[in-house]
Amino acid sequence: MSPARRATIEFLLDNLVWLMLIVVLAVFSLTVPNYFQFGIFANIFEQSTFVGVMAIGLAIVIIAGNLDLSVESTAALSAMVTGMLFSSSGVGMGIAFEPAWLMPVVSLLIALAVGGIIGFINGFFVTRVGMSAFIVTLASFIWVRGLVVAISGGRSAQNLAPPIRIIGMEDILGVPLLAWISVGCFVIFAFVMAKTPFGRYITLVGGNQDATFRAGINSNRILWTSFVVAGVLAGLAGWLLAIRTSGATANLGVGMLFNAFAAVVIGGVSLKGGIGKLPGVYAGVLLLYSIHTAINLMGLPAHFTQMILGGLVLAAVLLDTFKLRLREKLL
Amino acid sequence: MKIVRRTFIGAAIAGLTLATSAYAQDKGTIYYMVPTLLDEFQTESVSAIENFMGQVGYKVATLNADNKTDVQQGQMDTAILTKPKAIILAAVDFNALAPYIEKAREAGVPVMIFDRQITSTVSDFTSVAGTVEIGHVAAGEIQRLLTEKNGSVKGKVLQVLGDPGDPYTLDIQKGFEEMMADYPDVEIITKPAMQWEASNAGSIVADQLLANPDIDLIFVHAAHLAVAAVASLESAGKKPGDVLLVSSNGAPVGLDLIRQGWEQVEVEQPLYAQAAALAMFADKVTNGEELVPGTYDVLGLKSELTIEDWGPDLKIPGAAITPENVDEARFWGNLQAPEGPIEPVQ
């Protein structure tokens, strides 16, 4: 095989998920009434924000060779804390202060801190106590959601303070600001993962932790940091979610973990660790929400929605598996 | 040292005596099987049932099924083994719990159905507003709102269900759609918000506003979904009243949306009355006495007890909450639990 052909095939296989996204968008645009319009594409960007930001953290932990099942509950806790502090109805305390521009900053820092603390706890048990990440984060998935119910009493916080809520209402070039925030996160973390020592260490630790340790890299610290980063990003997702829904309910974010996992896998991140790139994950998230949006617009009976969505996710993952086999065969 | 020991033993005996005497005054324990604690109606139902049952002498142990049928089935098995005075069941799945109701009754444990009606088997008492009836009330109000807006019952309605696996939302849908079937000029677009998750409802509303900009009214099956729907309306540049909004269950957030002008009607499930009725009939149910059909006054609501194929059934009328009556204390969404003792039915 000529080097040029090999490079072309490699490029196509590396970016297959983007190709899939384009095909899916084209098919839906041609077949689903009202799908092909700028507003719908802006909606897809906006709706993929929360799972997208969550998926970045999840992907980093998975590339580092672990799992984090707690991101959904962490986002819910961060949303509820934001809602309770800065909403004026329901269980909201209605905290407000001047200058108003400081409110989004303070609420964001609190949300990130909430996520960071959960990530820190997860990392501690995995790296210091030596417990399985699956068990530790599964426990966090349960107790953190329990904490959401406990602190809210199962009630909602509503009417988020306007200086914070405005972030969910503004747009730049017709695309909601929330979507730009998730795009920004992907750009920053894609750079971090590809161009910084931390990113390279994450990939190395995920590929072979023992070898990395022998090479003089503090692999435990890298792992622990990956959990904190995942927690902080889940906290950010929760903050954005609270802004989007103008508060928080006790079941906010339920089901997002599985969407985040689907996006990560569709995006080409290996669950065995050491393999994966964040741009692919973003394509995976966009692909998922393109499907969600198409289902929202199609005149399908309500009961079939989950079935169709599951089938399409399976098809996407099968295509990804096919891609890996093709790569082995051709390259 | 001896003094300390004696004081400790004395306190322990005194505590034990007090506890025993308190227990002696109790009529026993009743289990309340709550389907989930992730919504405000269910959370408040726990407080109301514990409060009202406490007033008539029963201790309530609440078990949360986290919206999982198998978990609730396991909880029923466990509860039956402890031989409680009765079980109050708000079923996650109406049909899947039927065999467990039969099992409890065979074991001599009466079963009272709360909020979510089960008609496929016999139970000892049912206290419901009726989910199908909630759909009927909503349909009546929606017909009125469409007439006020468009001159007759015509227009486009977006119906946002809860989770499509939950019979509760499907019953409301059934009731709503059977009442709307007489109006062919109303187009109903139905979409489910998976797992009753608010941001899913918000996404549906955002997408549909683009695909169907002429939507006249949005009907969501729970007030917490209405909050996300309003957020999407707001993001789309809509003002209160531009798109009519109707919701069900009467949660505090829904009442707030009515006060803000975003929502026009909230169909209430009369939570306090439903819970109070359980306490009113608890003695008769636990003693296996016959329930007499007729009209009963439950917290001021005239409620009809009938004997159906599935047992004694008390229907408490659900109310339409509008801007005119939203502040009335009788609505549970105002979180003012009724004062005054519950009187058991003689």
Side-chain angles (χ1 to χ4, degrees):
Chain A
M1 189 183 295
S2 70
R5 192 173 172 204
R6 185 190 175 95
T8 310
I9 291 173
E10 250 190 276
F11 176 80
L12 285 175
L13 288 178
D14 280 344
N15 296 287
L16 190 63
V17 63
W18 287 102
L19 206 63
M20 281 159 57
L21 176 65
I22 291 165
V23 170
V24 163
L25 286 174
V27 170
F28 285 151
S29 295
L30 291 171
T31 57
V32 179
N34 300 307
Y35 194 91
F36 187 69
Q37 54 175 304
F38 181 78
I40 286 292
F41 295 133
N43 271 6
I44 292 170
F45 272 110
E46 187 183 26
Q47 288 161 21
S48 61
T49 297
F50 323 104
V51 166
V53 173
M54 213 182 277
I56 297 172
L58 183 62
I60 289 173
V61 175
I62 291 175
I63 292 170
N66 276 282
L67 277 179
D68 189 348
L69 303 176
S70 71
V71 287
E72 173 192 302
S73 298
T74 303
L77 180 63
S78 140
M80 184 52 82
V81 169
T82 305
M84 286 179 73
L85 293 175
F86 298 100
S87 291
S88 54
S89 301
V91 288
M93 297 171 193
I95 293 174
F97 48 80
E98 293 292 337
W101 62 264
L102 209 53
M103 288 180 72
V105 178
V106 172
S107 63
L108 173 62
L109 290 176
I110 292 171
L112 298 183
V114 167
I117 290 167
I118 305 295
F120 185 87
I121 294 169
N122 287 338
F124 172 80
F125 282 110
V126 174
T127 60
R128 295 288 169 178
V129 184
M131 292 170 71
S132 147
F134 180 84
I135 300 299
V136 169
T137 58
L138 178 65
S140 296
F141 173 77
I142 298 165
W143 75 258
V144 174
R145 178 65 73 176
L147 188 59
V148 173
V149 181
I151 61 171
S152 65
R155 294 195 52 211
S156 315
Q158 191 207 339
N159 279 345
L160 198 62
I164 306 173
R165 173 86 183 99
I166 195 81
I167 295 168
M169 317 257 296
E170 291 300 313
D171 62 70
I172 298 171
L173 302 174
V175 177
L177 187 55
L178 289 177
W180 286 112
I181 293 174
S182 73
V183 171
C185 285
F186 270 101
V187 170
I188 291 168
F189 281 92
F191 176 81
V192 168
M193 290 298 287
K195 303 287 180 191
T196 68
F198 171 74
R200 286 194 288 272
Y201 291 163
I202 288 275
T203 310
L204 288 172
V205 168
N208 190 333
Q209 192 177 347
D210 289 341
T212 320
F213 180 74
R214 289 197 190 103
I217 296 166
N218 189 339
S219 54
N220 267 353
R221 184 181 290 174
I222 296 292
L223 273 182
W224 198 343
T225 309
S226 74
F227 279 104
V228 174
V229 169
V232 167
L233 284 166
L236 174 61
W239 183 74
L240 296 168
L241 208 47
I243 289 172
R244 173 74 159 81
T245 52
S246 190
T249 57
N251 74 339
L252 197 62
V254 163
M256 285 188 177
L257 173 67
F258 299 104
N259 278 333
F261 254 106
V264 166
V265 173
I266 292 169
V269 174
S270 165
L271 291 175
K272 292 172 184 167
I275 298 172
K277 288 174 183 170
L278 290 183
V281 174
Y282 192 43
V285 177
L286 291 176
L287 183 63
L288 268 186
Y289 280 87
S290 305
I291 296 168
H292 271 286
T293 302
I295 288 172
N296 281 347
L297 295 179
M298 280 192 253
L300 291 165
H303 315 79
F304 293 102
T305 307
Q306 264 176 315
M307 226 171 73
I308 293 164
L309 196 61
L312 288 171
V313 168
L314 186 66
V317 176
L318 275 174
L319 206 60
D320 192 61
T321 312
F322 169 73
K323 176 190 86 174
L324 289 175
R325 288 193 185 160
L326 195 69
R327 186 194 292 272
E328 282 167 10
K329 203 172 169 184
L330 294 178
L331 304 175
Chain B
M1 188 64 191
K2 270 186 182 174
I3 293 170
V4 174
R5 194 183 299 160
R6 278 177 192 164
T7 309
F8 178 76
I9 293 170
I13 290 170
L16 195 63
T17 312
L18 277 173
T20 312
S21 61
Y23 183 77
Q25 286 168 4
D26 277 347
K27 292 176 182 170
T29 297
I30 289 178
Y31 274 92
Y32 171 36
M33 306 296 181
V34 65
T36 175
L37 287 178
L38 292 180
D39 86 55
E40 293 181 291
F41 180 90
Q42 306 299 349
T43 313
E44 189 62 14
S45 76
V46 174
S47 315
I49 288 174
E50 288 179 356
N51 174 13
F52 296 143
M53 281 295 182
Q55 288 184 34
V56 293
Y58 294 94
K59 199 161 67 180
V60 177
T62 301
L63 300 179
N64 166 26
D66 269 336
N67 257 338
K68 295 182 181 77
T69 303
D70 59 317
V71 171
Q72 197 165 55
Q73 289 170 333
Q75 290 171 343
M76 283 291 284
D77 274 335
T78 308
I80 293 166
L81 289 174
T82 65
K83 297 274 178 200
K85 296 298 281 186
I87 293 173
I88 298 167
L89 175 66
V92 173
D93 184 296
F94 299 1
N95 291 318
L97 267 297
Y100 292 81
I101 296 170
E102 288 157 14
K103 196 172 171 182
R105 297 184 80 232
E106 278 166 20
V109 180
V111 178
M112 294 193 271
I113 305 299
F114 174 70
D115 185 47
R116 299 175 166 211
Q117 193 166 44
I118 295 176
T119 57
S120 55
T121 190
V122 177
S123 55
D124 296 275
F125 179 65
T126 297
S127 173
V128 291
T131 39
V132 174
E133 285 77 3
I134 287 172
H136 291 165
V137 176
E141 289 299 311
I142 287 168
Q143 288 162 18
R144 175 180 66 79
L145 289 167
L146 289 176
T147 306
E148 285 171 9
K149 185 179 181 187
N150 298 333
S152 63
V153 187
K154 64 180 181 187
K156 201 176 266 188
V157 175
L158 171 63
Q159 180 181 214
V160 182
L161 310 180
D163 192 274
D166 188 341
Y168 170 82
T169 196
L170 299 178
D171 269 7
I172 294 178
Q173 181 190 12
K174 183 183 164 197
F176 172 63
E177 289 178 0
E178 67 190 17
M179 291 289 282
M180 297 302 289
D182 295 336
Y183 299 96
D185 292 337
V186 178
E187 184 187 342
I188 301 171
I189 303 159
T190 300
K191 298 289 164 193
M194 293 298 175
Q195 298 182 286
W196 290 96
E197 205 272 339
S199 70
N200 288 339
S203 299
I204 289 167
V205 171
D207 288 340
Q208 287 297 332
L209 284 174
L210 286 168
N212 297 288
D214 53 343
I215 285 172
D216 293 293
L217 186 147
I218 299 170
F219 172 36
V220 294
H221 285 198
H224 73 277
L225 302 183
V227 178
V230 166
S232 291
L233 288 171
E234 219 177 350
S235 297
K238 304 285 183 190
K239 300 276 176 260
D242 285 353
V243 177
L244 302 168
L245 184 61
V246 173
S247 174
S248 74
N249 86 3
V253 288
L255 272 55
D256 283 342
L257 290 176
I258 290 179
R259 291 187 187 99
Q260 292 163 28
W262 282 105
E263 194 175 319
Q264 283 65 44
V265 176
E266 181 80 26
V267 182
E268 197 215 22
Q269 286 170 270
L271 188 158
Y272 289 141
Q274 285 174 241
L278 294 172
M280 285 169 61
F281 286 90
D283 284 347
K284 282 197 172 288
V285 170
T286 56
N287 294 329
E289 293 173 29
E290 192 186 344
L291 304 187
V292 183
T295 305
Y296 291 83
D297 187 304
V298 186
L299 298 181
L301 294 173
K302 296 289 174 210
S303 310
E304 199 64 30
L305 181 73
T306 54
I307 306 300
E308 305 290 346
D309 291 343
W310 55 89
D313 186 286
L314 186 75
K315 276 266 163 65
I316 302 167
I321 306 174
T322 62
E324 288 73 38
N325 64 7
V326 66
D327 293 321
E328 290 180 17
R330 67 186 165 113
F331 300 129
W332 75 267
N334 286 317
L335 298 176
Q336 297 170 27
E339 292 171 6
I342 298 295
E343 294 293 336
V345 171
Q346 297 302 315

